[in-house]
C-alpha cells in the first residue's frame, strides 16, 4: 500500500461531518423529546421543566452550529458531543420526574454512556477522526434512543415541537468549545 492508497482509505472531512451530524441530530431530537415529555409529566416541577428545556436549546444550538459550518472533524465532533451531553442532562430530568421507574434509570444510564462515548470521539487524541470511536459513539447513540423509547420518553412517529436556539452568545459558544 502506498501513501496514495492510504489517503483514499481515510475518511474525508465531509464523510466525518455526515456521521457527526447524524449523531448530533439524533441527540438533539432526544433532548427535544425529553423536554416535551418533562413538560407534560412534571407535575409542576418547574426546575425540571426549565433544565430539560435549556438542555434541548443547547443541543439545538450545537446542531445549528454544526449545520452552518464547513466540514471540520474536530469542531463537528465537539458539536455532536455537546448535543449528546445536553441530551444526557435532559435524560436526568426525565428520570427525576419518573421517580423510581427502572426503564427511566436505564434510559438515563444509556444517555450518559452516549455522552461519554461522544466525548471520547471528540477527545484530544482523535479530534473526531477515529473511526472506531465514532462507531462506538454511533452505537451508544442508537442505544440511548432505544432506551428512551422503552422509557416512554420518545414515541416513534410522534411530532416533537421544534426547539428555538435562542441567541448564541460568545460566552455560550466558548463554553461549547466552538
Amino acid at each position: 500500500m502506498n501513501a496514495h492508497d492510504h489517503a483514499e482509505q481515510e475518511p474525508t472531512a465531509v464523510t466525518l461531518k455526515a456521521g457527526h451530524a447524524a449523531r448530533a441530530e439524533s441527540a438533539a431530537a432526544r433532548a427535544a423529546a425529553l423536554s416535551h415529555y418533562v413538560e407534560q409529566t412534571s407535575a409542576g416541577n418547574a426546575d425540571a421543566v426549565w433544565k430539560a428545556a435549556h438542555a434541548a436549546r443547547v443541543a439545538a444550538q450545537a446542531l445549528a452550529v454544526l449545520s452552518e459550518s464547513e466540514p471540520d472533524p474536530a469542531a463537528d465532533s465537539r458539536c455532536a458531543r455537546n448535543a449528546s451531553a445536553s441530551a444526557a442532562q435532559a435524560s436526568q430530568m426525565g428520570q427525576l420526574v419518573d421517580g423510581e421507574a427502572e426503564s427511566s434509570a436505564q434510559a438515563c444510564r444509556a444517555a450518559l454512556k452516549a455522552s461519554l462515548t461522544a466525548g471520547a470521539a471528540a477527545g484530544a487524541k482523535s479530534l473526531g477522526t477515529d473511526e472506531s470511536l465514532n462507531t462506538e459513539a454511533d452505537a451508544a447513540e442508537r442505544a440511548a434512543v432505544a432506551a428512551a423509547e422503552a422509557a416512554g420518553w420518545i414515541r416513534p412517529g410522534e411530532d416533537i415541537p421544534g426547539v428555538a436556539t435562542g441567541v448564541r452568545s460568545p460566552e455560550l459558544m466558548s463554553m461549547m468549545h466552538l
Side-chain angles (χ1 to χ4, degrees):
M1 177 186 307
N2 62 34
H4 179 69
D5 292 336
H6 183 68
E8 286 180 2
Q9 291 178 347
E10 295 276 326
T12 66
V14 172
T15 303
L16 289 166
K17 183 179 188 84
H20 296 310
R23 194 165 59 250
E25 185 175 350
S26 177
R30 256 188 321 119
L34 269 153
S35 177
H36 181 69
Y37 176 83
V38 169
E39 184 178 357
Q40 300 301 313
T41 62
S42 70
N45 187 336
D47 190 47
V49 170
W50 184 89
K51 286 180 180 178
H54 179 68
R57 193 169 33 259
V58 172
Q61 288 174 348
L63 183 59
V65 167
L66 192 150
S67 68
E68 295 165 359
S69 64
E70 293 297 317
D72 176 347
D76 297 341
S77 65
R78 286 192 305 269
C79 287
R81 174 205 61 202
N82 292 339
S84 187
S86 296
Q89 173 67 38
S91 294
Q92 290 174 332
M93 296 305 101
Q95 184 180 15
L96 178 72
V97 301
D98 283 352
E100 301 295 319
E102 181 56 30
S103 61
S104 294
Q106 289 175 348
C108 191
R109 285 191 296 273
L112 292 171
K113 181 175 181 184
S115 177
L116 290 171
T117 59
K125 288 185 180 180
S126 67
L127 298 173
T129 61
D130 185 300
E131 286 186 64
S132 65
L133 290 175
N134 289 331
T135 299
E136 187 179 336
D138 292 343
E141 177 58 32
R142 286 189 301 275
V145 169
E149 288 175 355
W153 295 345
I154 297 175
R155 293 176 183 87
E158 180 181 56
D159 287 334
I160 309 275
V163 176
T165 59
V167 175
R168 286 181 266 160
S169 68
E171 292 82 12
L172 177 65
M173 300 303 282
S174 174
M175 177 187 77
M176 292 174 71
H177 304 287
L178 299 173

